[in-house]
Amino acid sequence: MRTKDAVTMYPLTGVLDVAKVKPAAFNQHLYKGVLGPALEGAGEMSLASHVSQPMRGTGVVRGGGRFVTLEGALVLGVFFRLVSGGIPSPQALRMAWTFLFLGETGNGIRALVPDTPRPAGKLFPGPGDTFLLAISGSPSETWGDGDGFAFVPGSDLTADKIMEWLDLHSEDSAALCLVNLSELVKGLKSGLDGLAPLALEVDYLPGTPAQGWPDAQSDPVAAFLSEYTTRDPWGRTPARDFYSAFSAWYAAWTGAPIVQGKDGGKGTNTALSDALDALGVRKMKSNGIMTFAGIRWSDTQTAKSFLSGVLDLE
């Protein structure tokens, strides 16, 4: 069931400035890295409820008008600090996600000292700083999702304990990345205080499959997307092809063609573009033609059969 909650969110451009991340670096990880699927809601580490889709009319031009929750800002801050420290981006995202949303029980390999609990999204209690210790470079094939990094109170950060921890990972020597999470979190929160936040309504879709679309049972646009497309942050579907395919499907779905006005269908196309935008599918120019970004045609036999007849696709 879809629910909406009003949450405080910050403009992405401001968050990137505070985290000292260049927009080009963000876009690189968005379109060619792990942030794209995470922001589209795919996979277990979905940031779709913490980083909005690009919004129009917000007065924010750079960054596509995205807005970010406090938790989302902290995930991005930790992620980019780890990437700059030599941690591969898939592992950096998992570490940042673990820090914000999963607690440290103290009894796993992530802990340098047993029975040292840390609540999810929190620093260790006490006056000392909290650190994230991570093994740089490509992870070992034998590691689990929680291996190769540890959240450590400053008092536990000794050479002997680090060597014992490395030995558990079968690493006699390894390059390490050490991040002072206490300083990082304090700096990010202080910087966010200088931004102008907005109270925005964000969709939460518990249990929605990665390929699912809200209201696919009742909304014709969502129904078409669910049956004939696949979410893909790098996907670019020609707008003209999409209009043609949707019009043919809609006629079969309702038993009547789409009613086009005197403008030759331009108004209809605009309405369809707005409906897609509301579902997070952005219209953009790619290789000189207008496309819908974030989707591609599905590889199912049903989709292939329908599209080959409508668009003459091979």
Side-chain angles (χ1 to χ4, degrees), residues 95-304:
M95 294 174 194
W97 177 270
T98 301
F99 171 61
L100 265 297
F101 302 114
L102 300 177
E104 173 60 59
T105 62
N107 57 5
I109 291 181
R110 284 206 312 268
L112 296 190
V113 177
D115 302 321
T116 310
R118 180 194 62 83
K122 304 293 184 181
L123 304 172
F124 283 107
D129 286 349
T130 296
F131 292 85
L132 170 54
L133 178 67
I135 299 175
S136 299
S138 299
S140 169
E141 295 181 356
T142 61
W143 289 359
D145 289 341
D147 295 339
F149 63 101
F151 302 104
V152 190
S155 58
D156 292 345
L157 201 61
T158 66
D160 288 342
K161 289 186 174 64
I162 292 174
M163 293 305 298
E164 292 176 5
W165 178 71
L166 287 173
D167 186 58
L168 286 174
H169 288 81
S170 300
E171 295 280 354
D172 294 331
S173 62
L176 298 176
C177 175
L178 186 65
V179 176
N180 188 324
L181 291 173
S182 297
E183 289 186 355
L184 178 59
V185 170
K186 181 179 179 180
L188 287 172
K189 287 184 175 181
S190 177
L192 293 180
D193 287 341
L195 302 179
L198 293 176
L200 300 175
E201 285 191 341
V202 178
D203 282 339
Y204 289 86
L205 304 171
T208 299
Q211 303 303 333
W213 295 89
D215 301 329
Q217 297 299 317
S218 57
D219 176 12
V221 177
F224 179 81
L225 290 171
S226 181
E227 188 168 0
Y228 295 108
T229 72
T230 297
R231 296 181 192 264
D232 182 348
W234 304 284
R236 300 292 183 268
T237 302
R240 178 173 294 183
D241 287 354
F242 191 93
Y243 292 138
S244 297
F246 178 78
S247 296
W249 173 86
Y250 185 85
W253 195 62
T254 63
I258 293 178
V259 178
Q260 296 185 349
K262 296 179 180 180
D263 58 4
K266 293 182 180 178
T268 303
N269 290 350
T270 299
L272 179 56
S273 295
D274 290 343
L276 290 168
D277 184 70
L279 290 168
V281 180
R282 297 166 287 114
K283 193 174 184 180
M284 65 179 294
K285 183 169 287 189
S286 178
N287 295 325
I289 63 173
M290 293 307 301
T291 69
F292 289 116
I295 57 172
R296 58 176 173 81
W297 296 124
S298 176
D299 292 329
T300 65
Q301 190 57 49
T302 299
K304 288 180 178 179

